[in-house]
Amino acid sequence: MAIRSPILNVMVTAAEKAGRAIVRDFGEVEHLQVSRKGTNDFVTKADHRSERILISELSKARPDFGFLLEESGVIKGKDENRRWIIDPIDGTTNFIHGIPHFAISIAYEEYGELVAGLVYNPIFDEMFLAEKGQGVTLNNKRLRVSARAQIADCVLATGIPHLGRGEHEPYLEQLTAAMGGSAGIRRFGSAALDLAYVAAGRFDGFWESGLNSWDIAAGIVLVKEAGGFVTDINGKGDGLESPTILAANTAIHRPLSALLTGKPIKTGRTLLRKPN
Ligand code: IPD
């Protein structure tokens, strides 16, 4: 049993409690699927229930901290320098469709800096945890990003725009480039888990547009602590507040940015270009 910091212990306790409620609710969703009644209302309730449990547990342990939440927005804390950034169920569409791939995502931010992250898939009981400078674990085992250095050998994850969501044309250009250059592309439907899988080396890279900070804050900590890079798709910023995110192992991060954006990059004396 790994020794965890007090802050991670607080996050784990809250996530495990909310996770038990989500697992019960997911069982109901599977029944609702066949009853032909809309599942959306029920899932909205499940989302809110998870969020309420997380707020209550985290507030009990750290009464002064604030919140940024997917469902309830901002809750100011007495301590304005410390807050939780939370998605109570990331992968809601999967949840609605009875697909067991979704997660609770909790990040802890101090003075504007992300210092701890938790991503928990309660169905598979996979708990990804990271704290700044302390590395990252999956169910107490240490993780690293993959070592693959050629995009041609890499499996990439992405989020695909859909009805009423995202810019489809520019995305298709990115997808075409990634299809032509990589070993495979996956669209699993939870950005938090996509990032956790990059941290675990299951995916070599991940990119998406139009995400919210609660989808990715915890995952960003995981990828960085696993030795990966997180920026926007152009290789700038930290990906949290940007309209796009690109997370990958260090070897492919820049070439992947160049491939997706179609912009040549300079690495020392070598000029890398998007493959034809
Ligand atoms: C969604 C997931 C999904 C991504 C969507 C997000 P939600 O979050 O992260 O992978 O493609 O853009 O909105 O709504 O299920 O919390």
Side-chain angles (χ1 to χ4, degrees):
M1 179 83 174
I3 298 167
R4 285 191 207 120
S5 70
I7 204 78
L8 283 181
N9 273 331
V10 164
M11 292 159 73
V12 168
T13 305
E16 285 179 340
K17 188 158 182 193
R20 285 193 288 277
I22 290 176
V23 170
R24 278 195 302 275
D25 286 339
F26 187 63
E28 281 298 307
V29 169
E30 287 177 318
H31 286 117
L32 290 173
Q33 295 293 346
V34 289
S35 77
R36 293 186 67 213
K37 272 195 261 160
T39 50
N40 291 34
D41 268 7
F42 179 80
V43 171
T44 307
K45 283 187 194 135
D47 239 319
H48 282 97
R49 190 171 8 254
S50 169
E51 193 164 286
R52 271 199 310 276
I53 294 171
L54 294 170
I55 294 171
S56 145
E57 287 298 307
L58 294 170
S59 302
K60 230 192 293 172
R62 294 291 185 276
D64 293 344
F65 290 13
F67 290 89
L68 172 61
L69 302 135
E70 180 177 25
E71 306 300 334
S72 319
V74 173
I75 302 176
K76 281 209 163 181
K78 258 199 220 155
D79 183 342
E80 293 194 353
N81 299 312
R82 292 179 173 80
R83 67 173 182 172
W84 308 106
I85 303 176
I86 294 179
D87 191 342
I89 302 180
D90 182 69
T92 319
T93 305
N94 283 344
F95 193 101
I96 292 173
H97 285 256
I99 301 167
H101 188 84
F102 45 81
I104 293 168
S105 173
I106 307 174
Y108 169 54
E109 190 187 61
E110 219 173 58
Y111 291 90
E113 188 188 9
L114 295 172
V115 291
L118 170 155
V119 174
Y120 179 47
N121 177 340
I123 303 296
F124 296 154
D125 196 21
E126 286 199 321
M127 176 79 73
F128 298 87
L129 292 175
E131 192 169 1
K132 196 174 167 229
Q134 303 302 314
V136 45
T137 56
L138 163 56
N139 295 352
N140 296 324
K141 284 204 193 101
R142 290 230 160 251
L143 296 180
R144 286 287 300 168
V145 290
S146 74
R148 287 184 197 89
Q150 303 300 326
I151 299 177
D153 299 328
C154 288
V155 169
L156 307 173
T158 184
I160 304 178
H162 47 85
L163 183 65
R165 187 70 201 266
E167 292 183 60
H168 295 200
E169 288 306 319
Y171 179 78
L172 284 172
E173 284 178 23
Q174 295 162 15
L175 188 61
T176 304
M179 281 163 61
S182 70
I185 300 171
R186 304 288 181 267
R187 199 300 189 232
F188 280 9
S190 161
L193 284 171
D194 289 336
L195 288 164
Y197 281 24
V198 171
R202 294 173 179 176
F203 294 146
D204 304 289
F206 162 68
W207 89 99
E208 187 164 347
S209 304
L211 291 167
N212 293 296
S213 47
W214 47 78
D215 300 316
I216 52 177
I220 289 176
V221 186
L222 296 177
V223 173
K224 286 187 176 167
E225 285 301 313
F229 279 160
V230 187
T231 62
D232 71 8
I233 202 174
N234 297 303
K236 307 258 160 59
D238 63 3
L240 185 64
E241 305 289 347
S242 336
T244 59
I245 183 168
L246 173 63
N249 77 35
T250 49
I252 66 155
H253 186 274
R254 291 186 74 197
L256 183 56
S257 164
L259 179 69
L260 293 171
T261 57
K263 290 178 198 148
I265 54 162
K266 271 189 182 158
T267 55
R269 279 175 302 151
T270 327
L271 193 62
L272 296 179
R273 282 190 187 280
K274 178 173 152 181
N276 293 318

